[in-house]
């Protein structure tokens, strides 16, 4: 994958997350600066999502752990545990952020 392709795919997933939050009506502060997206929940739990361009991965840091997602068959899959990014993010929003977030 070329870097430009990776950036387009990462931009798309970031936009999907932000749009889903905006459309959900939940109170999650979403801020993106320089390829790093920070989600802050009402209970002050923060998630950080960032791009790892050299590896063509998206990393998610939560209060519990960090996860590295690589594109496999058009889905971002955690290379250690096999979780899909959007479903894992929704589950952790519920568990840690105490917020229902459909992605």
């Amino acid at each position: 994958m070329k870097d430009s392709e990776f950036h387009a795919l990462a931009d798309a997933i970031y936009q999907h997350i932000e749009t889903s939050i905006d459309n959900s009506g939940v109170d999650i502060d979403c801020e993106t600066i320089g390829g790093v997206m920070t989600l802050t929940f009402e209970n002050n739990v923060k998630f950080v999502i960032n791009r790892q361009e050299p590896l063509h991965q998206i990393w998610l840091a939560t209060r519990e752990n960090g996860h590295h997602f690589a594109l496999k068959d058009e889905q971002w899959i955690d290379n250690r545990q096999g979780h899909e990014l959007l479903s894992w993010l929704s589950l952790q929003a519920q568990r840690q952020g105490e917020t229902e977030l459909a992605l």
Side-chain angles (χ1 to χ4, degrees):
M1 171 184 330
K2 294 180 181 181
D3 288 348
S4 59
E5 186 179 1
F6 167 72
H7 284 291
L9 292 167
D11 286 346
I13 201 78
Y14 276 38
Q15 186 60 51
H16 176 80
I17 292 167
E18 190 170 345
T19 299
S20 295
I21 290 169
D22 289 346
N23 292 339
S24 71
V26 297
D27 189 13
I28 300 172
D29 182 39
C30 179
E31 181 178 38
T32 304
I33 299 173
V36 177
M37 176 181 276
T38 303
L39 306 179
T40 306
F41 296 85
E42 282 187 89
N43 63 359
N44 291 319
V45 167
K46 291 186 181 202
F47 294 174
V48 177
I49 304 166
N50 68 328
R51 305 165 195 235
Q52 293 299 313
E53 183 177 332
L55 302 173
H56 291 164
Q57 293 181 341
I58 295 176
W59 289 7
L60 168 64
T62 68
R63 185 173 59 189
E64 291 179 2
N65 206 341
H67 299 273
H68 305 167
F69 296 85
L71 193 64
K72 295 180 184 173
D73 299 324
E74 299 183 22
Q75 291 187 317
W76 293 97
I77 305 296
D78 179 14
N79 63 4
R80 286 185 257 167
Q81 298 177 333
H83 304 294
E84 189 275 327
L85 173 61
L86 296 177
S87 61
W88 187 248
L89 184 56
S90 291
L91 180 63
Q92 295 312 310
Q94 180 182 16
R95 286 181 179 170
Q96 297 178 42
E98 300 171 352
T99 302
E100 294 292 327
L101 177 61
L103 295 169

